[in-house]
Amino acid sequence: SYISNLSLKRKIQYIVLICITLLASISLLTINLIASSYQKVLYQSVAGSLTYSSQELQNSLNNINTMADMFLADTGTQHNLSQLKDSDDPMLRAPASQSLYSTLSEYFLNFRKNHIRYMSLYQDQFSTHTYRGAASQHPASVVVDLLDRAREGNGATVWVTDYSEEYGLFMVKVIR
């Protein structure tokens, strides 16, 4: 009866108002559904990308670890390290040092695709590096800390992230 008594103008205004309200509600609902769907797709995309990246990173780290184990298990490497440690004769130490540098460089070249910047080998007063410029950028305190962590690892691979902002990720390992 209330609706019947309204003027035609009012009835049209109410119909238009209802249509606008209905259209606005449907529009907001649609925008919400689209945004929600977009968020889900974005989340899945980012999750897939992060999963792939983490797998690639893990593969690279595993390859570096395998390379270190292969280098340390190499009989030539072990022989040359023994020569450097046990001999005082410069005629034996010089070729052993050169051979270690060559072997270290060979492993570096074969595995550098795993994001290795350089490799270093320290033994008592002896050290060799595949890229001396990069190795010399680190303060002595960082090198001492890395060597201490390698000793604490007792032959296990130790990943050091403390200096990653400045120098990158370090993998250290003591030769027993």
Side-chain angles (χ1 to χ4, degrees):
S1 103
Y2 172 74
I3 296 175
S4 310
N5 293 336
L6 289 175
S7 67
L8 183 60
K9 181 181 174 184
R10 280 282 188 221
K11 289 178 183 176
I12 292 173
Q13 285 177 341
Y14 281 131
I15 290 172
V16 169
L17 183 63
I18 290 171
C19 287
I20 290 173
T21 305
L22 188 62
L23 186 61
S25 299
I26 290 172
S27 295
L28 288 175
L29 181 64
T30 303
I31 289 171
N32 189 23
L33 288 173
I34 290 171
S36 175
S37 176
Y38 173 76
Q39 291 293 335
K40 286 179 185 176
V41 169
L42 180 64
Y43 174 78
Q44 290 171 347
S45 174
V46 169
S49 179
L50 288 175
T51 299
Y52 175 77
S53 296
S54 69
Q55 288 172 344
E56 286 296 309
L57 182 60
Q58 182 178 358
N59 287 340
S60 290
L61 294 177
N62 287 340
N63 288 342
I64 293 168
N65 192 29
T66 300
M67 180 269 311
D69 291 340
M70 289 170 49
F71 176 76
L72 297 177
D74 185 273
T75 55
T77 299
Q78 291 298 322
H79 174 74
N80 290 321
L81 287 170
S82 293
Q83 290 287 342
L84 287 172
K85 184 177 180 183
D86 299 334
S87 178
D88 291 328
D89 184 4
M91 297 300 285
L92 292 175
R93 291 176 65 87
S97 173
Q98 182 58 41
S99 181
L100 273 173
Y101 172 76
S102 296
T103 305
L104 193 66
S105 295
E106 180 182 329
Y107 276 90
F108 170 72
L109 291 174
N110 288 333
F111 285 87
R112 72 175 176 210
K113 68 178 184 233
N114 292 297
H115 313 287
I116 299 174
R117 186 169 173 208
Y118 70 95
M119 293 170 56
S120 295
L121 178 67
Y122 292 89
Q123 183 186 34
D124 299 329
Q125 275 65 41
F126 164 80
S127 69
T128 188
H129 315 275
T130 57
Y131 179 44
R132 186 169 294 281
S136 64
Q137 291 178 347
H138 311 309
S141 61
V142 170
V143 174
V144 167
D145 182 48
L146 293 172
L147 294 173
D148 288 343
R149 290 181 189 216
R151 283 185 208 95
E152 290 170 7
N154 291 321
T157 299
V158 178
W159 295 98
V160 180
T161 60
D162 294 0
Y163 310 108
S164 61
E165 290 290 322
E166 296 173 73
Y167 308 112
L169 179 66
F170 289 94
M171 191 226 53
V172 295
K173 188 173 211 154
V174 71
I175 302 170
R176 297 193 277 172

